[in-house]
Amino acid sequence: MKKSVAIEIQDFEALIEKDCFYIDKTDFIREWWEANDSVTLITRPRRFGKTLNMSMLKRFFSIKYAQKGDVFQGLSIWNEENKGNTC
Ligand SMILES: Nc1ncnc2c1ncn2[C@@H]1O[C@H](COP(=O)(O)OP(=O)(O)O)[C@@H](O)[C@H]1O
Ligand SMILES: [Mg+2]
């Protein structure tokens, strides 16, 4: 089925669950974590996906969703996490 383009969806989980077209930026989670910076300044124009990215980080790190990792299934960060697993 053809994916629809998310218009004004700033919630990562909603975008994935609605199966909207998504440019996979989940590797940002790894890059940001490995940079280990105490402060991160994101300077991008509006509609560049800043809010969606923040929602993605919240979804990834919040303990509230600890048992619900499946929203990242098949995305770059998921493959990274499961690289060493053989089963
Ligand atoms: N990686 C992405 N893949 C697909 N659509 C995206 C992506 N990032 C943002 N969008 C869409 O682009 C629009 C603007 O994103 P938003 O996060 O609100 O940008 P910003 O906060 O930088 O202004 C939203 O409708 C959002 O659904
Ligand atoms: Mg925004």
Side-chain angles (χ1 to χ4, degrees):
M1 204 173 89
K2 241 177 160 180
K3 293 198 180 239
S4 58
V5 173
I7 297 172
E8 291 307 321
I9 298 183
Q10 299 178 329
D11 181 71
F12 180 73
E13 186 171 4
L15 187 140
I16 297 296
E17 286 186 344
K18 285 178 193 228
D19 200 24
C20 292
F21 173 73
Y22 175 64
I23 297 167
D24 190 348
K25 294 187 181 175
T26 59
D27 202 47
F28 174 75
I29 299 169
R30 184 189 56 75
E31 282 178 26
W32 175 75
W33 183 258
E34 287 178 1
N36 205 22
D37 296 326
S38 43
V39 176
T40 304
L41 175 66
I42 299 176
T43 53
R44 287 291 182 276
R46 62 190 288 269
R47 305 195 61 77
F48 246 73
K50 299 180 297 295
T51 301
L52 188 69
N53 265 4
M54 290 306 105
S55 162
M56 172 186 78
L57 285 177
K58 183 178 173 193
R59 186 63 183 69
F60 191 86
F61 287 106
S62 173
I63 195 138
K64 197 171 140 196
Y65 306 111
Q67 306 303 319
K68 284 181 71 193
D70 50 314
V71 77
F72 290 96
Q73 197 161 0
L75 296 173
S76 174
I77 193 71
W78 177 275
N79 300 333
E80 188 68 30
E81 289 271 307
N82 292 288
K83 253 182 194 167
N85 295 353
T86 49
C87 54

